[in-house]
Amino acid sequence: PNLSLRKLSTRVQSPQNLVSQTLNTRLETTFFDYVARWRIEAAKPMIEEGKLSIHDIALQVGFNTRSTFYKAFKNETGMTPTAYRRAMTRPPTP
C-alpha cells in the first residue's frame, strides 16, 4: 500500500521522471494505473475464492479504501468486485 513512484525510482536507482516516462512510453500507462492493474490481478483469485470480504481483499492487495478499490476494479474489468465474485462463482450452464 505504501508503494510510490519515489520509492520505486530509489529501488531501481533511476530518477522519478525517467521511471514515469518509461512507463508512459513503453507500457502506455501511468505509474498509478500500472500498480492498480497489478493489485487488481492479485485480487481476482482471492475474490473468486470467496473466503475474504471485498474490503479485506482491497486492503491486502494495497488499496487504502474499499471505494478506491471498487472504482479501480470496475475501470479495469468493467464490473464491480461483487459482480465479479457472483459471475465467477455461478455454476456453469449446460
Side-chain angles (χ1 to χ4, degrees):
N2 297 322
L3 181 61
S4 68
L5 182 57
R6 181 181 56 75
K7 288 179 182 178
L8 177 60
S9 66
T10 300
R11 179 73 174 196
V12 298
Q13 300 177 353
S14 294
Q16 286 184 46
N17 63 337
L18 180 59
V19 173
S20 179
Q21 182 181 23
T22 301
L23 286 168
N24 289 332
T25 308
R26 302 283 180 151
L27 301 178
E28 299 179 351
T29 190
T30 66
F31 168 76
F32 298 104
D33 289 343
Y34 184 76
V35 171
R37 187 174 308 129
W38 279 102
R39 288 175 175 168
I40 289 163
E41 289 303 313
K44 284 179 179 179
M46 291 190 269
I47 293 170
E48 293 172 25
E49 190 176 83
K51 291 183 180 179
L52 298 172
S53 72
I54 300 296
H55 181 255
D56 287 342
I57 293 168
L59 295 175
Q60 279 195 16
V61 298
F63 286 91
N64 292 322
T65 65
R66 183 177 170 263
S67 61
T68 304
F69 176 63
Y70 263 74
K71 183 178 178 180
F73 195 94
K74 187 164 185 176
N75 285 342
E76 185 67 27
T77 65
M79 62 178 77
T80 66
T82 303
Y84 181 83
R85 177 174 275 169
R86 271 184 285 197
M88 293 299 124
T89 57
R90 189 175 299 145
T93 55

